[in-house]
Amino acid sequence: MNEQTKITIITACYNSELTIENTIKSVLAQEYKALEYIIVDGDSKDNTVAIVNKYAVDNLYIKVISEPDEGISDAFNKGIRLASGTLIGLINSDDELAAGALESVNNCYINTNADVIYGDTIVMDKENGLKILKKAGEIEKIKYEMPFIHQSCFVKRTAYEEVGVYNKEYKLCMDYDMMARLYHSKYYFAKAEGVISIFHYGGTFCEHPIRTINEDMKIAEKYGLGKSEVIKYKLKLFSKNICKRIFVRLGIWRIVYKLLKGGALNNEEGICFDDHI
């Protein structure tokens, strides 16, 4: 068994009483000893802090901050500045770590000494009755977009110290900006085995597709992609999103998705699992 690298998990939350408990349980269920868990609450007005404190009492793994912040990036940055782990992962308050995720990340780090470790994700789309395996794409795709979901990504603390923390200018795509910054600064990325996180579709970026695309375009151009290439790619993405929203409104997205992807075991978008989620 490999020696355990100290890992810090950061969860940013605000009024998350309906989901935060599952997130915390997924972290503690890892049974990973070299763990630090920092929960950064934005001064919630519901029962979020009470739920968090229930787990934080007498738990040496968990540290809690609850105070107003300037958004998700600011909350992430507060956690990063407090972190003492060699690796840092960000798990949102409505998502979870997959079973065995930290062991997989640790094994990858021990074997590669990578600056950024990423893996596959299960996407839970309850609205449309879908459970999807989202395979991490080739890292070179970062010229256009995030090739993996950020909940399945861990970054060396020293890399954050060297390139800086999350840009508060971005309200939705701060993760893409960070990964592009690390990639273009020649940091080493490595893929861990298996599923790292469970992402529940329907969060902030899902609710603001146009703003998400605009931020993506701005970031892609910022890191050297030509404007015409950015526009061409994002128009394609925008068209796909519009079609999906139409199918969702009609209540047939699950059927369409299964027809398009269900039989492809290794396609880019992932594969459809059990409908009963």
Side-chain angles (χ1 to χ4, degrees):
M1 180 182 293
N2 285 330
E3 178 183 350
Q4 289 191 337
T5 305
K6 187 172 183 180
I7 297 176
T8 298
I9 301 294
I10 297 168
T11 293
C13 58
Y14 181 72
N15 290 346
S16 304
E17 64 180 4
L18 298 180
T19 57
I20 187 69
E21 190 161 22
N22 286 336
T23 304
I24 295 170
K25 285 180 176 179
S26 77
V27 175
L28 299 182
Q30 298 292 310
E31 297 184 352
Y32 191 86
K33 302 303 181 186
L35 171 67
E36 175 182 60
Y37 190 20
I38 300 174
I39 300 174
V40 184
D41 175 73
D43 195 23
S44 289
K45 307 307 180 187
D46 63 1
N47 292 319
T48 298
V49 176
I51 294 169
V52 169
N53 286 337
K54 180 176 73 172
Y55 289 91
V57 171
D58 298 326
N59 193 317
L60 299 178
Y61 290 140
I62 301 178
K63 299 176 182 178
V64 182
I65 307 168
S66 184
E67 61 186 22
D69 58 42
E70 299 175 42
I72 298 172
S73 292
D74 189 33
F76 286 165
N77 294 343
K78 288 180 181 181
I80 290 167
R81 292 185 181 107
L82 287 174
S84 62
T86 301
L87 298 171
I88 299 174
L90 307 174
I91 303 297
N92 291 347
S93 60
D94 52 355
D95 302 316
E96 296 130 47
L97 279 177
L102 296 187
E103 284 293 347
S104 180
V105 169
N106 180 61
N107 290 340
C108 182
Y109 178 71
I110 294 296
N111 292 328
T112 66
N113 194 34
D115 301 297
V116 182
I117 295 167
Y118 62 96
D120 299 334
T121 306
I122 289 178
V123 177
M124 304 292 282
D125 184 356
K126 290 189 177 182
E127 179 184 0
N128 298 292
L130 288 169
K131 178 181 179 183
I132 303 162
L133 173 62
K134 177 70 175 179
K135 290 180 175 292
E138 297 298 324
I139 193 61
E140 290 77 14
K141 282 189 174 183
I142 209 163
K143 66 185 290 189
Y144 293 110
E145 62 185 357
M146 279 280 284
F148 46 81
I149 291 176
H150 90 87
Q151 289 89 331
S152 293
C153 170
F154 288 72
V155 178
K156 271 187 181 178
R157 178 168 46 83
T158 53
Y160 281 127
E161 291 170 351
E162 290 162 1
V163 304
V165 289
Y166 288 83
N167 188 338
K168 291 188 286 187
E169 173 188 352
Y170 301 113
K171 304 303 181 183
L172 299 167
C173 300
M174 68 292 290
D175 51 347
Y176 177 34
D177 176 68
M178 175 59 72
M179 292 305 118
R181 196 188 321 166
L182 288 163
Y183 178 76
H184 288 283
S185 297
K186 307 301 182 184
Y187 284 87
Y188 176 42
F189 287 66
K191 186 178 183 300
E193 293 293 325
V195 173
I196 302 302
S197 73
I198 301 167
F199 168 69
H200 290 263
Y201 186 82
T204 305
F205 91 93
C206 302
E207 296 170 359
H208 303 281
I210 303 302
R211 186 170 179 179
T212 299
I213 290 171
N214 287 339
E215 285 194 7
D216 267 355
M217 290 177 65
K218 186 175 180 180
I219 293 165
E221 191 173 352
K222 172 182 174 181
Y223 290 102
L225 194 64
K227 181 170 289 191
S228 61
E229 286 184 278
V230 172
I231 292 172
K232 181 179 178 181
Y233 182 80
K234 293 305 178 182
L235 280 174
K236 178 181 176 181
L237 183 61
F238 179 75
S239 299
K240 288 172 63 177
N241 284 342
I242 289 295
C243 289
K244 177 181 176 180
R245 291 174 74 85
I246 291 171
F247 290 136
V248 169
R249 288 284 183 90
L250 293 174
I252 60 172
W253 174 242
R254 179 169 64 94
I255 297 170
V256 172
Y257 186 89
K258 290 185 71 175
L259 287 173
L260 292 173
K261 304 294 183 180
L265 295 180
N266 294 294
N267 62 73
E268 180 180 325
E269 292 290 334
I271 61 175
C272 180
F273 287 127
D274 185 3
D275 292 338
H276 303 291
I277 60 174

